[in-house]
Amino acid sequence: MDGIVYIGSNDNKVYALDAATGTPHWTYTTGGGVYSASPAVMDGIVYIGSSDRKVYALDAATGTPTGHTPPAAGFARRRRS
């Protein structure tokens, strides 16, 4: 969506914010932190990974989940030093 910024946070949430005002349009809570993932938006779907080892697919306009992928084989969880 034009004028919307999608970000993840370590509070386990994905946020859709108005780019000009910062006003939230929607939030979605994942099963883990979303602190090192950059979302991709394609055909009205926001794709973003979470530390719960899933990739979420969220409707860009509403934040409604359209699905998620199961944990990938060999997915390495980075540990903080």
Side-chain angles (χ1 to χ4, degrees):
M1 289 184 52
D2 288 339
I4 304 296
V5 176
Y6 303 96
I7 61 169
S9 178
N10 62 359
D11 65 358
N12 298 4
K13 293 183 182 177
V14 179
Y15 294 87
L17 306 173
D18 183 284
T21 66
T23 303
H25 282 271
W26 55 257
T27 63
Y28 180 79
T29 303
T30 69
V34 193
Y35 43 81
S36 62
S38 295
V41 183
M42 184 173 149
D43 297 329
I45 306 293
V46 178
Y47 299 92
I48 193 163
S50 172
S51 65
D52 65 359
R53 299 173 51 173
K54 295 178 183 172
V55 175
Y56 290 82
L58 307 171
D59 182 281
T62 66
T64 303
T66 63
H68 66 267
T69 64
F75 182 86
R77 186 174 186 169
R78 252 188 346 188
R79 296 184 188 257
R80 292 183 176 189
S81 306

